[in-house]
Amino acid sequence: VSEPDHEFPPLRSVRDRPHRVTLTHGLLHPDNTRLRECVRHRTALVVTSPTVDRLYGRRIRAYFGPIPGVHYSVLHRGEATKSIDAAVEISERASAAGLCRTSPVIAFGGGVCTDICGLAAALHHRGIPHIKVPTTLIGLVDAGIGMKNAVNHDGRKSVLGSFHPPEHSLLDPGFLGTLPRRHLSSGLAEIIKLAVVADGDLFDLVEASARAMLDSGFRAPAEVVTAVVRRSVAGMLAELARNPYEVTDFRRKVDFGHTFSPWLETASQHTVLHGEAVALDIALSTELAADLGLITAAERERVLDLLRCSGLPLSWPATSVDGLWASLRSVVDHRNGDLHLVVPTAIGDCTFVEARAISPGLLRACLDRLGRHDSTARPDRLSGVRA
Ligand SMILES: NC(=O)c1ccc[n+]([C@@H]2O[C@H](COP(=O)([O-])OP(=O)(O)OC[C@H]3O[C@@H](n4cnc5c(N)ncnc54)[C@H](O)[C@@H]3O)[C@@H](O)[C@H]2O)c1
Ligand SMILES: [Zn+2]
C-alpha cells in the first residue's frame, strides 16, 4: 500500500534589497564622500573600461588612495565581447582581490561595464553587492539605474542575465563632458523613448534643447541638462518600480524601442550602437502606429524630427524584414506569449499592439516610408528644433 503524498509548507523567499539612487556632482572630488561612504571600509573591486581608465583612472585611484582594500581593475570588453565569459572574468578577479560575501564590485563605466559587473556580482558566491557609477548618458538614465544585468550569447542580445539590484547608483552628469557626441546621441534615444511614451513635458524640454545639449557636451544649458537628467531618472525609476521583477505584467512602457532593436544591434555586428538601434525601433514603431491610425501625422513628425535633431538614424540600409520578423517572434517568447509592441498614441502616451496586427508587408511599407523620410530630411529640419 503506497503512502499518500505529503505536502510541506511552501518556503517564502522574499528579500528586501533597497537600491539607493543619488544624483551628485564632482563625485571624484576628494571632498565628495558619497562613494567612500558606500564602500564603508569593505574590501572592494573597482572595475572600469580602458577609455574610462585613460580619462579618469588617475582620479579614481587618487579618490580611493587612502582606503586599504579597494582594488582597481580595467576590463577590456565592448558590446561585441559582452558575453558570459566576461562575467566569469570579473568573478575570477573578485576572487583574486579577496572579495567576500559582503564586498562590493564597483562598476565605473557605460552600460557594457555595469551590465557585466552586475551579472558577475549576481553569480559570484551566488550574489555579492555591487555599486553602479555610470559614466555614459545611457548609463545615467537607464543601464546604471536598473537592476537588470545581461550579456549577449549565441548571437542573441541580452539573453543571459539576472535581476540583481545594486546597493547604490551614483549619478554624476559631469562624466558626460568627455563622452563622444555619437554616444550622447545614443543616450538621447533612451530619453526620447521615455518622453514619447510617458512624459510629454520631458519631450518638450528635449525638443527645445537637444541641439544645445549635444553641442555643449551636455554642459549647457545647465538648468535644462539637470532637469532632463532628473526627469529621465525619476520617470525611469517610476516605471521600473511598478513591476521591478517583470512578473506581474509583460506590458512595459519602457520596452518602447526595444522590440526590433536587438536584431538591429546583432545583425549590424554592433556597428549600430544600442541607442541608435533604439532610435530605429522608435521610428519604426511610430510609423506602424501612424499606419494603424493610432497617432496623428503631426505627432509622428515631431517624434521623427526629434530623433533626427538628436543625431539619430531613422533607417538602416541593411534592415531585412525577415530579420525584424524573427526578432518580433523571439520577443513574443520573452514577453510571455504575445508581442505587446509599445507604440505612441500621442506625445507622452502609448498603447500596446499585439502580433496579429503586424505583418511582414506592413513592416516593409513602414520601412520604405522611413527610408524616404531619411533621404529627404531637409537640412533646416536637421539644424533646428521646433520653435
Ligand atoms: N541593464 C540595463 O537595464 C540596460 C539598459 C540600457 C542599456 N543597457 C546596455 O548598455 C549598453 C550600452 O551602454 P553605453 O551606451 O553606455 O555603451 P558602452 O558601455 O559601450 O560605452 C560606450 C563607450 O564610451 C566609453 N565611455 C564610457 N564613459 C565615458 C566617458 N565619460 N567619456 C568618454 N568615453 C566614455 C566606453 O568605454 C565605451 O567605449 C548596451 O550593452 C545595452 O544593452 C543595459
Ligand atoms: Zn535600451
Side-chain angles (χ1 to χ4, degrees):
V1 179
S2 64
E3 292 274 327
D5 291 354
H6 179 79
E7 193 79 42
F8 294 94
L11 295 178
R12 307 229 0 127
S13 55
V14 179
R15 185 171 160 204
D16 187 20
R17 291 187 284 182
H19 167 200
R20 297 176 62 200
V21 181
T22 307
L23 183 61
T24 184
H25 298 276
L27 179 80
L28 292 176
H29 191 282
D31 294 343
N32 188 327
T33 56
R34 287 276 182 195
L35 189 50
R36 282 198 291 273
E37 283 162 11
C38 288
V39 176
R40 297 197 305 269
H41 303 291
R42 292 174 291 180
T43 303
L45 177 66
V46 174
V47 179
T48 192
S49 71
T51 307
V52 175
D53 175 54
R54 179 171 53 76
L55 294 166
Y56 299 101
R58 199 180 47 77
R59 289 178 60 202
I60 297 172
R61 282 194 292 264
Y63 181 89
F64 287 114
I67 308 179
V70 176
H71 302 262
Y72 185 84
S73 187
V74 181
L75 180 69
H76 291 256
R77 297 281 179 160
E79 187 64 46
T81 50
K82 184 182 143 181
S83 46
I84 189 67
D85 53 307
V88 172
E89 192 178 335
I90 295 299
S91 167
E92 289 166 0
R93 293 188 196 186
S95 294
L99 266 60
C100 63
R101 293 287 289 274
T102 56
S103 316
V105 174
I106 306 174
F108 247 97
V112 168
C113 179
T114 54
D115 265 2
I116 291 170
C117 290
L119 182 59
L123 297 173
H124 192 68
H125 289 304
R126 300 188 188 85
I128 62 169
H130 67 122
I131 294 166
K132 290 183 175 180
V133 185
T135 60
T136 61
L137 187 53
I138 286 200
L140 277 185
V141 301
D142 202 327
I145 58 172
M147 60 184 230
K148 292 202 286 185
N149 316 282
V151 295
N152 309 327
H153 182 66
D154 197 22
R156 285 180 298 158
K157 173 83 187 156
S158 302
V159 71
L160 295 177
S162 65
F163 288 96
H164 185 54
E167 278 185 351
H168 214 129
S169 295
L170 283 164
L171 316 180
D172 180 359
F175 287 113
L176 302 181
T178 52
L179 195 63
R181 192 181 175 104
R182 187 177 172 201
H183 287 284
L184 288 173
S185 291
S186 185
L188 266 177
E190 298 281 17
I191 294 176
I192 294 169
K193 161 196 82 178
L194 182 74
V196 170
V197 293
D199 188 347
D201 291 342
L202 176 62
F203 190 96
D204 294 345
L205 264 180
V206 177
E207 194 177 49
S209 301
R211 179 54 60 100
M213 291 191 293
L214 284 171
D215 285 347
S216 66
F218 261 68
R219 290 189 187 89
E223 67 288 355
V224 179
V225 171
T226 303
V228 165
V229 171
R230 268 199 203 182
R231 247 192 127 88
S232 303
V233 172
M236 191 67 191
L237 291 176
E239 289 298 325
L240 296 177
R242 284 178 47 245
N243 183 15
Y245 287 96
E246 299 175 20
V247 286
T248 55
D249 191 357
F250 295 91
R251 291 152 60 101
R252 300 171 72 238
K253 287 184 184 184
V254 287
D255 281 341
F256 184 45
H258 289 74
T259 297
F260 307 108
S261 60
W263 179 82
L264 289 159
E265 277 185 77
T266 309
S268 75
Q269 296 181 328
H270 306 290
T271 56
V272 174
L273 299 178
H274 179 72
E276 292 169 342
V278 170
L280 292 163
D281 186 317
I282 290 175
L284 179 56
S285 302
T286 304
E287 199 64 44
L288 281 165
D291 207 286
L292 296 170
L294 297 168
I295 189 170
T296 65
E299 294 201 287
R300 173 197 59 178
E301 223 26 57
R302 277 184 79 188
V303 175
L304 300 185
D305 273 353
L306 184 54
L307 293 172
R308 261 195 301 252
C309 289
S310 303
L312 290 160
L314 301 187
S315 63
W316 182 54
T319 304
S320 104
V321 171
D322 288 348
L324 293 183
W325 192 250
S327 176
L328 192 146
R329 301 311 317 173
S330 70
V331 165
V332 165
D333 295 337
H334 185 64
R335 295 187 191 151
N336 210 33
D338 214 334
L339 182 61
H340 312 312
L341 177 74
V342 195
V343 298
T345 50
I347 304 296
D349 212 350
C350 64
T351 189
F352 298 87
V353 168
E354 301 308 347
R356 60 188 170 277
I358 317 271
S359 66
L362 180 59
L363 287 179
R364 163 58 55 213
C366 290
L367 288 172
D368 286 349
R369 272 200 302 277
L370 283 171
R372 285 199 297 275
H373 245 301
D374 228 7
S375 58
T376 58
R378 298 200 326 257
D380 57 322
R381 278 228 187 99
L382 288 169
S383 67
V385 284
R386 284 162 59 96

